[in-house]
Amino acid sequence: MSEEASDAGRFLALVAAAQDRDAGLTSIQAGLLVAAELMIASDSRSFARALGIAHALVLRELNALAERDDTLEIVKRDPRTMRAFYRLAKS
């Protein structure tokens, strides 16, 4: 198994674990949390590109997650590119 496949498998396992802990998370929301925790992506466009999903979908899920609870916070927005920068909320 290649390292890339192994990394992808680990990422998906962590996403599934996050959803097990919080059944209200969508897979994209759980992915955003895992990506922030592992420092894989800290902005919506990078996350969308890494996973091959539409940026608009990521933005919708990111906004919903940021409004839902205090686990993740949006720290900056770029009005030109619509990119939103995020991080895990400080506890």
Side-chain angles (χ1 to χ4, degrees):
M1 182 183 294
S2 72
E3 184 177 335
E4 187 174 303
S6 176
D7 289 345
R10 178 174 177 248
F11 178 79
L12 292 175
L14 291 170
V15 167
Q19 286 184 290
D20 286 344
R21 286 189 304 276
D22 183 346
L25 289 175
T26 67
S27 57
I28 293 175
Q29 290 171 348
L32 285 162
L33 291 172
V34 171
E37 185 176 329
L38 297 179
M39 292 188 265
I40 294 171
S42 60
D43 70 86
S44 57
R45 180 145 339 250
S46 296
F47 181 83
R49 283 185 182 157
L51 273 70
I53 49 182
H55 185 230
L57 181 59
V58 172
L59 284 172
R60 184 178 70 195
E61 295 292 327
L62 177 59
N63 287 323
L65 181 59
E67 290 175 5
R68 186 181 97 112
D69 58 29
D70 59 356
T71 57
L72 185 133
E73 62 186 354
I74 297 172
V75 294
K76 183 174 104 174
R77 292 183 188 272
D78 183 334
R80 186 181 63 81
T81 64
M82 300 298 295
R83 185 178 297 208
F85 295 83
Y86 61 91
R87 68 176 174 213
L88 294 177
K90 295 176 182 165
S91 38

Coordinates of all heavy atoms in Angstrom, one line a residue:
M1 N 0.8 -1.2 0.0 CA 0.0 0.0 0.0 C 0.9 1.2 0.0 O 1.9 1.3 0.8 CB -0.9 0.0 1.2 CG -1.8 1.1 1.3 SD -2.9 1.2 2.8 CE -3.9 -0.2 2.6
S2 N 0.6 2.2 -0.8 CA 1.4 3.4 -0.9 C 1.1 4.3 0.3 O 0.1 4.1 1.0 CB 1.1 4.2 -2.2 OG -0.2 4.8 -2.1
E3 N 2.1 5.2 0.5 CA 1.9 6.1 1.7 C 0.7 7.0 1.5 O 0.0 7.3 2.5 CB 3.2 6.9 1.8 CG 3.2 7.8 3.0 CD 4.4 8.6 3.2 OE1 5.5 8.2 2.8 OE2 4.4 9.7 3.9
E4 N 0.4 7.4 0.3 CA -0.7 8.3 0.0 C -2.0 7.5 0.3 O -2.9 8.1 0.9 CB -0.7 8.7 -1.5 CG -1.8 9.8 -1.8 CD -1.6 10.3 -3.2 OE1 -0.6 10.8 -3.5 OE2 -2.6 10.2 -3.9
A5 N -2.1 6.3 -0.1 CA -3.3 5.5 0.2 C -3.4 5.3 1.7 O -4.6 5.3 2.3 CB -3.3 4.2 -0.5
S6 N -2.3 5.1 2.4 CA -2.3 4.9 3.8 C -2.8 6.2 4.5 O -3.6 6.2 5.5 CB -0.9 4.5 4.3 OG -0.9 4.5 5.7
D7 N -2.3 7.4 4.1 CA -2.7 8.6 4.6 C -4.2 8.9 4.4 O -4.9 9.4 5.3 CB -1.9 9.8 4.0 CG -0.5 9.8 4.5 OD1 -0.1 9.1 5.5 OD2 0.3 10.5 3.8
A8 N -4.7 8.5 3.2 CA -6.1 8.7 2.9 C -7.0 7.8 3.8 O -8.0 8.2 4.3 CB -6.4 8.4 1.4
G9 N -6.5 6.6 4.0 CA -7.2 5.7 4.9 C -7.3 6.2 6.3 O -8.3 6.1 7.0
R10 N -6.2 6.7 6.8 CA -6.1 7.3 8.1 C -7.1 8.5 8.2 O -7.8 8.6 9.2 CB -4.7 7.7 8.5 CG -4.6 8.3 9.8 CD -3.1 8.6 10.2 NE -3.0 9.2 11.5 CZ -2.6 10.5 11.6 NH1 -2.2 11.2 10.6 NH2 -2.6 11.0 12.9
F11 N -7.1 9.3 7.2 CA -7.9 10.5 7.3 C -9.4 10.1 7.3 O -10.2 10.6 8.1 CB -7.7 11.4 6.0 CG -8.6 12.6 5.9 CD1 -8.3 13.7 6.6 CD2 -9.7 12.6 5.1 CE1 -9.1 14.8 6.6 CE2 -10.5 13.7 5.0 CZ -10.2 14.8 5.7
L12 N -9.8 9.1 6.5 CA -11.2 8.6 6.5 C -11.5 8.0 7.8 O -12.7 8.1 8.2 CB -11.4 7.7 5.3 CG -11.3 8.4 3.9 CD1 -11.4 7.3 2.8 CD2 -12.4 9.4 3.7
A13 N -10.6 7.3 8.4 CA -10.9 6.6 9.7 C -11.1 7.7 10.7 O -12.0 7.5 11.6 CB -9.7 5.7 10.1
L14 N -10.3 8.8 10.7 CA -10.5 9.8 11.7 C -11.8 10.6 11.5 O -12.5 11.0 12.4 CB -9.3 10.8 11.6 CG -8.0 10.2 12.1 CD1 -6.8 11.2 11.8 CD2 -8.1 10.0 13.6
V15 N -12.2 10.7 10.2 CA -13.5 11.4 9.9 C -14.6 10.5 10.4 O -15.6 11.0 11.1 CB -13.7 11.6 8.3 CG1 -15.1 11.9 8.0 CG2 -12.7 12.7 7.9
A16 N -14.6 9.2 10.2 CA -15.6 8.3 10.7 C -15.6 8.3 12.3 O -16.7 8.3 12.8 CB -15.3 6.9 10.2
A17 N -14.5 8.4 12.9 CA -14.4 8.5 14.4 C -15.1 9.8 14.9 O -15.8 9.8 15.9 CB -13.0 8.4 14.9
A18 N -14.8 10.9 14.2 CA -15.4 12.2 14.6 C -17.0 12.1 14.4 O -17.7 12.6 15.3 CB -14.9 13.3 13.7
Q19 N -17.4 11.4 13.4 CA -18.9 11.3 13.2 C -19.5 10.3 14.3 O -20.6 10.5 14.7 CB -19.2 10.8 11.8 CG -19.0 11.8 10.8 CD -19.5 11.4 9.4 OE1 -18.8 10.5 8.8 NE2 -20.6 11.9 8.9
D20 N -18.7 9.3 14.7 CA -19.2 8.4 15.7 C -19.3 9.2 17.1 O -20.3 9.0 17.8 CB -18.2 7.3 16.0 CG -18.3 6.3 14.9 OD1 -19.2 6.3 14.1 OD2 -17.3 5.4 14.8
R21 N -18.4 10.2 17.3 CA -18.5 11.0 18.5 C -19.6 12.0 18.5 O -20.2 12.3 19.5 CB -17.2 11.7 18.8 CG -16.1 10.8 19.3 CD -14.8 11.6 19.7 NE -14.3 12.5 18.7 CZ -13.5 12.2 17.7 NH1 -13.0 10.9 17.6 NH2 -13.0 13.0 16.8
D22 N -20.0 12.5 17.3 CA -21.0 13.5 17.1 C -21.8 13.1 15.8 O -21.4 13.4 14.7 CB -20.4 14.9 16.9 CG -21.4 16.0 16.8 OD1 -22.6 15.7 16.6 OD2 -21.0 17.1 17.0
A23 N -22.9 12.5 16.0 CA -23.8 12.0 14.9 C -24.3 13.1 14.1 O -24.8 12.9 13.0 CB -24.9 11.1 15.5
G24 N -24.3 14.4 14.6 CA -24.8 15.5 13.9 C -23.9 16.0 12.8 O -24.3 16.9 12.0
L25 N -22.7 15.6 12.8 CA -21.7 16.0 11.8 C -21.9 15.4 10.5 O -22.1 14.2 10.4 CB -20.3 15.7 12.3 CG -19.7 16.5 13.4 CD1 -18.3 15.9 13.8 CD2 -19.6 18.0 13.1
T26 N -21.9 16.2 9.4 CA -21.8 15.6 8.1 C -20.4 15.1 7.8 O -19.5 15.5 8.6 CB -22.2 16.6 7.0 OG1 -21.2 17.6 6.9 CG2 -23.6 17.3 7.3
S27 N -20.2 14.4 6.8 CA -18.8 13.9 6.5 C -17.9 15.0 6.1 O -16.7 15.0 6.5 CB -18.9 12.8 5.4 OG -19.5 13.3 4.2
I28 N -18.4 16.1 5.5 CA -17.6 17.2 5.1 C -17.2 18.0 6.4 O -16.1 18.4 6.6 CB -18.2 18.1 4.1 CG1 -18.3 17.4 2.8 CG2 -17.5 19.4 3.9 CD1 -19.1 18.1 1.7
Q29 N -18.2 18.2 7.3 CA -17.9 18.9 8.6 C -16.9 18.1 9.4 O -15.9 18.7 9.9 CB -19.2 19.1 9.3 CG -20.1 20.1 8.7 CD -21.5 20.1 9.4 OE1 -21.8 19.2 10.2 NE2 -22.3 21.1 9.0
A30 N -17.0 16.8 9.5 CA -16.1 16.0 10.2 C -14.7 16.1 9.5 O -13.7 16.2 10.2 CB -16.5 14.6 10.3
G31 N -14.7 16.1 8.2 CA -13.4 16.3 7.5 C -12.8 17.6 7.7 O -11.5 17.7 7.9
L32 N -13.5 18.6 7.8 CA -13.0 20.0 8.1 C -12.3 20.0 9.5 O -11.2 20.5 9.7 CB -14.1 21.0 8.1 CG -14.5 21.4 6.7 CD1 -15.9 22.1 6.7 CD2 -13.5 22.3 6.0
L33 N -13.0 19.3 10.5 CA -12.4 19.3 11.8 C -11.1 18.5 11.8 O -10.1 18.9 12.4 CB -13.4 18.7 12.8 CG -14.6 19.5 13.1 CD1 -15.6 18.7 13.9 CD2 -14.2 20.8 13.9
V34 N -11.1 17.3 11.2 CA -9.9 16.5 11.1 C -8.8 17.2 10.4 O -7.6 17.2 10.8 CB -10.2 15.1 10.4 CG1 -8.9 14.4 10.2 CG2 -11.2 14.3 11.3
A35 N -9.1 17.9 9.3 CA -8.1 18.6 8.5 C -7.5 19.7 9.3 O -6.3 20.0 9.3 CB -8.7 19.2 7.2
A36 N -8.3 20.4 10.1 CA -7.8 21.5 11.0 C -6.9 20.9 12.1 O -5.8 21.4 12.4 CB -8.9 22.2 11.6
E37 N -7.3 19.8 12.6 CA -6.6 19.1 13.7 C -5.2 18.6 13.2 O -4.2 18.8 13.9 CB -7.4 17.9 14.3 CG -6.7 17.3 15.5 CD -7.6 16.2 16.1 OE1 -8.9 16.3 16.0 OE2 -7.1 15.2 16.6
L38 N -5.2 18.0 12.0 CA -3.9 17.5 11.5 C -3.1 18.5 10.7 O -2.1 18.2 10.1 CB -4.3 16.3 10.6 CG -4.9 15.1 11.2 CD1 -5.2 14.0 10.2 CD2 -4.0 14.6 12.4
M39 N -3.7 19.7 10.6 CA -3.0 20.8 9.8 C -2.9 20.4 8.4 O -1.8 20.7 7.7 CB -1.7 21.2 10.5 CG -2.0 21.9 11.8 SD -0.5 22.6 12.5 CE 0.0 21.3 13.6
I40 N -3.9 19.8 7.8 CA -3.9 19.4 6.4 C -4.3 20.6 5.6 O -3.8 20.8 4.5 CB -4.8 18.2 6.2 CG1 -4.2 16.9 6.8 CG2 -5.0 17.9 4.7 CD1 -5.2 15.8 6.9
A41 N -5.4 21.3 6.1 CA -5.9 22.5 5.4 C -6.4 23.4 6.4 O -7.1 23.0 7.4 CB -7.0 22.1 4.4
S42 N -6.2 24.7 6.2 CA -6.7 25.7 7.1 C -7.6 26.7 6.4 O -7.9 27.7 7.0 CB -5.6 26.4 7.9 OG -4.8 27.0 6.9
D43 N -7.9 26.4 5.2 CA -8.9 27.3 4.4 C -9.8 26.4 3.5 O -9.4 25.3 3.2 CB -8.1 28.3 3.6 CG -7.4 27.8 2.5 OD1 -8.0 27.7 1.4 OD2 -6.2 27.5 2.6
S44 N -10.9 27.0 3.2 CA -11.9 26.3 2.5 C -11.5 25.8 1.1 O -11.8 24.7 0.7 CB -13.2 27.1 2.4 OG -12.9 28.4 1.8
R45 N -10.8 26.7 0.4 CA -10.4 26.3 -1.0 C -9.4 25.2 -1.0 O -9.5 24.3 -1.8 CB -9.8 27.5 -1.7 CG -9.4 27.1 -3.1 CD -9.6 28.1 -4.2 NE -10.5 29.2 -4.1 CZ -11.7 29.3 -4.8 NH1 -12.1 28.3 -5.5 NH2 -12.5 30.3 -4.6
S46 N -8.4 25.2 -0.1 CA -7.4 24.1 0.0 C -8.1 22.8 0.3 O -7.7 21.8 -0.2 CB -6.3 24.5 1.0 OG -5.6 25.6 0.6
F47 N -9.0 22.9 1.3 CA -9.7 21.7 1.6 C -10.5 21.1 0.5 O -10.5 19.9 0.2 CB -10.7 22.0 2.8 CG -11.4 20.8 3.3 CD1 -10.9 19.9 4.2 CD2 -12.7 20.6 2.9 CE1 -11.6 18.8 4.6 CE2 -13.5 19.5 3.3 CZ -12.9 18.6 4.2
A48 N -11.2 22.0 -0.3 CA -12.0 21.6 -1.4 C -11.1 21.0 -2.5 O -11.5 19.9 -3.0 CB -12.8 22.8 -2.0
R49 N -10.0 21.6 -2.8 CA -9.1 21.0 -3.8 C -8.5 19.7 -3.3 O -8.4 18.8 -4.2 CB -7.9 22.0 -4.0 CG -8.4 23.1 -4.9 CD -7.2 24.0 -5.3 NE -7.6 25.1 -6.1 CZ -7.0 26.3 -6.2 NH1 -5.8 26.4 -5.5 NH2 -7.4 27.2 -6.9
A50 N -8.1 19.6 -2.1 CA -7.5 18.3 -1.6 C -8.5 17.2 -1.7 O -8.1 16.0 -2.0 CB -7.0 18.5 -0.1
L51 N -9.8 17.4 -1.5 CA -10.7 16.4 -1.5 C -11.5 16.3 -2.8 O -12.3 15.4 -3.0 CB -11.7 16.5 -0.4 CG -11.2 15.8 0.9 CD1 -10.1 16.6 1.5 CD2 -12.4 15.6 1.9
G52 N -11.3 17.2 -3.7 CA -11.9 17.2 -5.0 C -13.4 17.4 -5.0 O -14.2 16.8 -5.7
I53 N -13.8 18.4 -4.1 CA -15.2 18.7 -4.0 C -15.4 20.2 -4.2 O -14.4 21.0 -4.2 CB -15.8 18.3 -2.6 CG1 -15.0 18.8 -1.5 CG2 -16.1 16.9 -2.5 CD1 -15.5 18.4 -0.1
A54 N -16.6 20.6 -4.6 CA -16.9 22.0 -4.9 C -16.6 22.9 -3.7 O -17.0 22.6 -2.6 CB -18.3 22.1 -5.4
H55 N -16.0 24.0 -4.0 CA -15.7 25.0 -3.0 C -17.0 25.5 -2.3 O -17.0 25.7 -1.1 CB -14.8 26.1 -3.5 CG -14.4 27.1 -2.5 ND1 -14.6 28.5 -2.7 CD2 -13.8 27.0 -1.3 CE1 -14.1 29.1 -1.6 NE2 -13.6 28.2 -0.8
A56 N -18.0 25.7 -3.1 CA -19.3 26.2 -2.6 C -19.9 25.3 -1.6 O -20.4 25.7 -0.5 CB -20.3 26.5 -3.7
L57 N -19.7 24.0 -1.8 CA -20.2 23.0 -0.9 C -19.4 23.0 0.4 O -20.0 23.0 1.5 CB -20.2 21.6 -1.5 CG -20.7 20.4 -0.7 CD1 -22.1 20.6 -0.3 CD2 -20.5 19.1 -1.4
V58 N -18.1 23.2 0.3 CA -17.3 23.3 1.5 C -17.6 24.5 2.3 O -17.8 24.5 3.5 CB -15.8 23.3 1.1 CG1 -14.9 23.6 2.3 CG2 -15.4 21.9 0.5
L59 N -17.8 25.6 1.6 CA -18.2 26.9 2.3 C -19.5 26.7 3.1 O -19.6 27.2 4.2 CB -18.3 28.0 1.3 CG -17.0 28.6 0.8 CD1 -17.3 29.6 -0.3 CD2 -16.3 29.3 2.0
R60 N -20.5 26.1 2.4 CA -21.8 25.9 3.1 C -21.6 25.1 4.4 O -22.1 25.4 5.4 CB -22.8 25.2 2.2 CG -24.2 25.1 2.8 CD -25.1 24.5 1.8 NE -24.8 23.1 1.6 CZ -25.3 22.3 0.6 NH1 -26.1 22.9 -0.3 NH2 -24.9 21.1 0.5
E61 N -20.9 24.0 4.3 CA -20.7 23.1 5.4 C -19.8 23.8 6.5 O -20.1 23.6 7.7 CB -20.0 21.8 5.0 CG -20.9 20.9 4.1 CD -22.1 20.4 4.8 OE1 -22.1 20.1 6.0 OE2 -23.2 20.3 4.1
L62 N -18.8 24.5 6.1 CA -18.0 25.2 7.1 C -18.8 26.3 7.8 O -18.7 26.4 9.1 CB -16.8 25.9 6.3 CG -15.9 26.8 7.1 CD1 -15.2 26.0 8.2 CD2 -14.8 27.4 6.2
N63 N -19.6 27.0 7.1 CA -20.5 28.0 7.8 C -21.4 27.4 8.8 O -21.6 27.9 9.9 CB -21.2 28.9 6.8 CG -20.3 29.9 6.1 OD1 -19.4 30.4 6.7 ND2 -20.5 30.1 4.8
A64 N -22.0 26.3 8.3 CA -23.0 25.6 9.2 C -22.3 25.1 10.4 O -22.8 25.1 11.6 CB -23.6 24.4 8.4
L65 N -21.1 24.5 10.3 CA -20.3 24.0 11.4 C -19.9 25.1 12.4 O -20.1 25.0 13.6 CB -19.1 23.2 10.9 CG -18.2 22.6 12.0 CD1 -19.0 21.6 12.8 CD2 -17.0 21.9 11.4
A66 N -19.5 26.2 11.8 CA -19.1 27.4 12.7 C -20.2 27.9 13.5 O -20.1 28.4 14.6 CB -18.4 28.4 11.8
E67 N -21.4 27.9 12.9 CA -22.6 28.4 13.6 C -23.2 27.4 14.6 O -23.8 27.8 15.5 CB -23.7 28.8 12.5 CG -23.4 30.0 11.7 CD -24.4 30.2 10.6 OE1 -25.4 29.5 10.5 OE2 -24.2 31.1 9.8
R68 N -22.9 26.1 14.3 CA -23.5 25.1 15.1 C -23.0 25.0 16.5 O -23.7 24.8 17.5 CB -23.3 23.7 14.4 CG -24.0 22.6 15.0 CD -23.6 21.3 14.1 NE -22.5 20.7 14.7 CZ -22.6 19.5 15.3 NH1 -23.7 18.8 15.3 NH2 -21.5 18.9 15.8
D69 N -21.7 25.1 16.6 CA -21.1 24.9 17.9 C -19.7 25.7 18.0 O -19.4 26.4 17.0 CB -20.9 23.5 18.4 CG -20.1 22.6 17.4 OD1 -19.2 23.2 16.8 OD2 -20.3 21.4 17.3
D70 N -19.0 25.5 19.0 CA -17.8 26.2 19.2 C -16.5 25.4 19.0 O -15.5 25.7 19.5 CB -17.7 26.9 20.5 CG -17.8 25.9 21.7 OD1 -18.0 24.7 21.4 OD2 -17.7 26.3 22.8
T71 N -16.6 24.3 18.1 CA -15.4 23.5 17.9 C -14.5 24.1 16.8 O -13.3 23.8 16.8 CB -15.8 22.1 17.5 OG1 -16.6 22.1 16.3 CG2 -16.5 21.3 18.6
L72 N -15.1 24.9 15.9 CA -14.3 25.4 14.8 C -14.7 26.9 14.7 O -15.9 27.2 14.8 CB -14.6 24.6 13.6 CG -13.8 25.0 12.3 CD1 -13.3 23.7 11.7 CD2 -14.7 25.7 11.4
E73 N -13.7 27.7 14.3 CA -14.0 29.1 14.1 C -13.4 29.6 12.8 O -12.4 29.2 12.4 CB -13.6 30.0 15.3 CG -12.1 30.0 15.5 CD -11.7 30.7 16.8 OE1 -12.5 31.4 17.4 OE2 -10.5 30.7 17.1
I74 N -14.2 30.5 12.2 CA -13.7 31.1 11.0 C -12.9 32.4 11.4 O -13.4 33.2 12.1 CB -14.8 31.5 10.0 CG1 -15.5 30.2 9.6 CG2 -14.3 32.3 8.8 CD1 -16.8 30.4 8.8
V75 N -11.7 32.5 11.0 CA -10.8 33.6 11.5 C -10.6 34.7 10.5 O -10.3 35.8 10.8 CB -9.4 33.0 11.9 CG1 -9.6 32.2 13.2 CG2 -8.7 32.3 10.8
K76 N -10.8 34.4 9.2 CA -10.7 35.4 8.1 C -11.4 34.9 6.9 O -11.5 33.8 6.6 CB -9.2 35.6 7.8 CG -8.8 36.6 6.8 CD -7.3 36.8 6.7 CE -6.8 36.2 5.5 NZ -5.4 36.4 5.2
R77 N -11.9 35.9 6.1 CA -12.5 35.7 4.9 C -11.9 36.5 3.8 O -11.6 37.7 4.0 CB -14.0 36.0 4.9 CG -14.8 35.0 5.8 CD -16.3 35.3 5.7 NE -17.0 34.6 6.7 CZ -17.5 33.4 6.5 NH1 -17.4 32.8 5.3 NH2 -18.2 32.8 7.4
D78 N -11.7 36.0 2.6 CA -11.2 36.7 1.5 C -12.4 37.0 0.6 O -12.9 36.1 -0.1 CB -10.1 35.9 0.7 CG -9.5 36.7 -0.4 OD1 -10.1 37.6 -1.0 OD2 -8.3 36.4 -0.7
P79 N -12.8 38.3 0.5 CA -14.0 38.5 -0.3 C -13.8 38.3 -1.8 O -14.8 38.0 -2.5 CB -14.3 40.0 0.0 CG -13.1 40.6 0.7 CD -12.3 39.4 1.2
R80 N -12.6 38.5 -2.3 CA -12.4 38.3 -3.7 C -12.5 36.8 -4.1 O -13.1 36.5 -5.1 CB -11.0 38.8 -4.0 CG -10.6 38.8 -5.5 CD -9.2 39.3 -5.8 NE -8.2 38.5 -5.2 CZ -7.7 37.4 -5.7 NH1 -8.3 36.9 -6.9 NH2 -6.8 36.7 -5.2
T81 N -11.9 35.9 -3.3 CA -11.9 34.5 -3.7 C -12.9 33.7 -3.0 O -13.1 32.5 -3.3 CB -10.5 33.9 -3.4 OG1 -10.3 33.9 -2.0 CG2 -9.4 34.6 -4.1
M82 N -13.6 34.3 -2.0 CA -14.6 33.6 -1.2 C -14.0 32.6 -0.2 O -14.6 31.9 0.5 CB -15.7 32.9 -2.0 CG -16.4 33.9 -2.9 SD -17.3 35.1 -2.0 CE -18.5 34.1 -1.1
R83 N -12.6 32.6 -0.2 CA -11.9 31.6 0.7 C -12.1 32.0 2.2 O -12.1 33.2 2.5 CB -10.4 31.7 0.4 CG -9.6 30.6 1.1 CD -8.2 30.7 0.6 NE -8.1 30.4 -0.8 CZ -7.0 29.9 -1.3 NH1 -5.9 29.6 -0.6 NH2 -7.0 29.6 -2.6
A84 N -12.4 31.0 3.0 CA -12.6 31.2 4.4 C -11.5 30.5 5.1 O -11.3 29.3 4.9 CB -14.0 30.7 4.9
F85 N -10.8 31.1 6.0 CA -9.7 30.5 6.8 C -10.3 30.1 8.1 O -11.1 30.9 8.8 CB -8.6 31.5 7.0 CG -7.9 31.8 5.7 CD1 -8.4 32.8 4.8 CD2 -6.8 31.1 5.3 CE1 -7.8 33.1 3.6 CE2 -6.2 31.4 4.1 CZ -6.7 32.4 3.2
Y86 N -10.0 29.0 8.6 CA -10.6 28.4 9.8 C -9.5 27.8 10.7 O -8.4 27.5 10.3 CB -11.7 27.5 9.5 CG -11.3 26.3 8.7 CD1 -10.9 25.1 9.4 CD2 -11.2 26.3 7.4 CE1 -10.4 24.0 8.7 CE2 -10.8 25.2 6.6 CZ -10.4 24.0 7.3 OH -10.0 22.9 6.6
R87 N -9.9 27.5 12.0 CA -9.0 26.8 12.9 C -9.9 26.2 14.0 O -11.1 26.6 14.1 CB -8.0 27.7 13.5 CG -8.6 28.7 14.4 CD -7.5 29.5 15.1 NE -8.1 30.6 15.9 CZ -7.6 31.8 16.0 NH1 -6.4 32.1 15.5 NH2 -8.2 32.7 16.7
L88 N -9.4 25.2 14.7 CA -10.1 24.7 15.8 C -10.2 25.8 16.8 O -9.3 26.6 17.0 CB -9.3 23.5 16.4 CG -9.2 22.3 15.5 CD1 -8.4 21.2 16.2 CD2 -10.6 21.7 15.2
A89 N -11.4 25.9 17.5 CA -11.6 26.9 18.5 C -10.7 26.6 19.7 O -10.5 25.4 20.1 CB -13.1 27.0 18.9
K90 N -10.3 27.6 20.3 CA -9.5 27.4 21.6 C -10.5 27.1 22.7 O -11.5 27.7 22.8 CB -8.7 28.7 21.9 CG -7.7 29.0 20.8 CD -7.0 30.3 21.1 CE -6.0 30.5 19.9 NZ -5.6 31.9 19.9
S91 N -10.1 26.1 23.4 CA -11.0 25.7 24.5 C -10.5 26.1 25.9 O -9.5 26.6 26.1 CB -11.1 24.2 24.6 OG -10.0 23.5 24.3

